[in-house]
Amino acid sequence: AGDMRGVLDGEEKVVFTVKVVDGIKKDLLAYHDEIISTPDHVWLWISGQTLLGRMYVPWLLTGRFDASFFLRTLSHELEHQVEHKRGLYNREYAMQDRIEQWMERDGNNWLGCMAPLYTIFCDTYTEGVAMFAETQHRESFSIEQPRLKTMYGTLCAIARETDAGRAEKMSDKEFTPTSQDGTYYLGRLMCYTIGLARQLHNVSIRSLSPEQRWLDNRSIGAYLRENLTVSLAGLEPDVFSDTLKELQGIHHHRQFIKAYTQACDYLGLVRPIRFLDQELFDWLKRTATAARADAVKVVAERFDSAA
């Protein structure tokens, strides 16, 4: 099971070890441990409180439990196993080590934002694809301009921050993944946008609110600009499947951002709905490394070659 593809296709077997932990103390619902997982042995942690509340108690009271919740959770964590075996986390950890080495050059005063910023770049892809994978049967997706404006402002503020502690606090407040916010939401939005562009090459997408109407690639950009919050229907099953395959074939967050940028161009999206595209990515890097003029050139070169 070198890359988990055979397992997902039902052609190979893999061992799962599920460890039940105190979810409140560990601050988690479910977690894939990429440190000790191997191609043939997947380690998952799951909250005991979640098992009690979502499985045991409902089963006692009604003889039923929310099986779809566990299917989505398992799908999400298995996607992280796929990403892990493709080496995505190894590259992320190596880059974080490089950032720490660069920061040692001048303490905490010139690359303070780079570690949380790079984590956001990586999590937007890895968590986004995992969230997208678990929403195959989701009936709708919400695009919220106010939320995106807030996230955009925070992201720009992080890039300007030279103090590591303050940058980390801003990142934790706005971008720490939760079920509805942070890089979970942003990454899933980017994945959905890539799929949306694929779908609108051939068929329309249905708006569920604020209006019930069909949208094509010529009308969707203006429609999203004119409405602060829009709920769109889920992607067609074949479009979803093809989009997920495309996303799973991406090996770097740069490729992910490039695919997202191309989708935004095709759909005619503008900010804040057009979020982490190539232009913003480049601006964030330049801003983050510009705190010390005498260091920006060498750091930018190193970051570009390694990121």
Side-chain angles (χ1 to χ4, degrees), residues 147-268:
R147 180 191 298 192
L148 291 170
K149 284 182 179 179
T150 299
M151 296 176 74
Y152 177 79
T154 303
L155 190 59
C156 293
I158 291 172
R160 296 187 181 99
E161 181 57 64
T162 59
D163 182 84
R166 289 195 293 267
E168 195 72 41
K169 286 182 180 179
M170 286 190 287
S171 176
D172 288 345
K173 181 179 179 180
E174 195 65 49
F175 289 97
T176 296
T178 69
S179 60
Q180 299 296 327
D181 293 298
T183 49
Y184 274 12
Y185 174 77
L186 177 57
R188 185 155 52 95
L189 169 66
M190 293 173 69
C191 292
Y192 180 85
T193 301
I194 293 170
L196 185 61
R198 178 185 291 273
Q199 178 159 324
L200 293 187
H201 270 94
N202 301 302
V203 296
S204 301
I205 191 78
R206 187 162 58 95
S207 168
L208 305 177
S209 69
E211 300 177 36
Q212 293 268 350
R213 57 176 289 191
W214 290 93
L215 301 166
D216 58 21
N217 65 306
R218 293 165 296 186
S219 60
I220 192 166
Y223 183 74
L224 292 176
R225 287 195 301 272
E226 294 164 1
N227 297 282
L228 290 180
T229 300
V230 172
S231 179
L232 299 178
L235 301 174
E236 296 290 332
D238 58 332
V239 174
F240 179 92
S241 178
D242 290 343
T243 302
L244 184 58
K245 288 180 181 178
E246 176 188 355
L247 293 169
Q248 290 174 335
I250 291 175
H251 298 284
H252 200 285
H253 64 265
R254 280 177 173 270
Q255 295 173 280
F256 179 56
I257 292 171
K258 180 179 179 181
Y260 172 71
T261 301
Q262 292 171 342
C264 288
D265 289 342
Y266 179 73
L267 298 172

Side-chain angles (χ1 to χ4, degrees), residues 262-299:
Q262 292 171 342
C264 288
D265 289 342
Y266 179 73
L267 298 172
L269 303 186
V270 298
R271 303 204 195 286
I273 301 166
R274 182 188 183 114
F275 200 88
L276 188 52
D277 63 353
Q278 191 66 53
E279 181 183 38
L280 179 58
F281 178 68
D282 291 339
W283 181 88
L284 291 167
K285 289 192 304 172
R286 288 196 304 270
T287 302
T289 55
R292 282 282 297 272
D294 61 338
V296 64
K297 183 176 180 180
V298 63
V299 174

Side-chain angles (χ1 to χ4, degrees), residues 28-201:
L28 60 82
L29 186 153
Y31 172 69
H32 167 261
D33 193 333
E34 67 268 13
I35 302 299
I36 61 176
S37 291
T38 68
D40 302 306
H41 194 157
V42 182
W43 287 80
L44 298 176
W45 296 11
I46 190 166
S47 162
Q49 290 87 344
T50 299
L51 289 177
L52 286 172
R54 300 297 292 264
M55 186 173 182
Y56 182 68
V57 173
W59 180 262
L60 284 180
L61 297 177
T62 67
R64 302 173 61 185
F65 65 91
D66 188 358
S68 65
F69 169 79
F70 288 96
L71 180 61
R72 294 193 306 271
T73 301
L74 183 60
S75 174
H76 182 107
E77 300 307 328
L78 279 180
E79 185 60 37
H80 285 319
Q81 173 72 4
V82 174
E83 294 165 349
H84 171 49
K85 301 326 298 177
R86 289 166 53 209
L88 298 184
Y89 296 116
N90 292 337
R91 288 191 287 273
E92 179 179 347
Y93 296 151
M95 186 59 191
Q96 293 286 14
D97 289 341
R98 289 192 182 98
I99 292 171
E100 291 181 5
Q101 292 172 9
W102 299 341
M103 288 182 67
E104 290 176 359
R105 169 175 169 169
D106 193 17
N108 187 39
N109 298 319
W110 66 293
L111 272 180
C113 68
M114 191 58 75
L117 197 62
Y118 187 75
T119 298
I120 291 170
F121 293 158
C122 293
D123 282 356
T124 298
Y125 172 60
T126 56
E127 296 293 353
V129 175
M131 284 296 294
F132 184 74
E134 73 174 70
T135 58
Q136 179 172 1
H137 304 293
R138 193 181 185 97
E139 296 181 353
S140 65
F141 185 80
S142 178
I143 300 176
E144 304 172 30
Q145 286 198 52
R147 180 191 298 192
L148 291 170
K149 284 182 179 179
T150 299
M151 296 176 74
Y152 177 79
T154 303
L155 190 59
C156 293
I158 291 172
R160 296 187 181 99
E161 181 57 64
T162 59
D163 182 84
R166 289 195 293 267
E168 195 72 41
K169 286 182 180 179
M170 286 190 287
S171 176
D172 288 345
K173 181 179 179 180
E174 195 65 49
F175 289 97
T176 296
T178 69
S179 60
Q180 299 296 327
D181 293 298
T183 49
Y184 274 12
Y185 174 77
L186 177 57
R188 185 155 52 95
L189 169 66
M190 293 173 69
C191 292
Y192 180 85
T193 301
I194 293 170
L196 185 61
R198 178 185 291 273
Q199 178 159 324
L200 293 187
H201 270 94

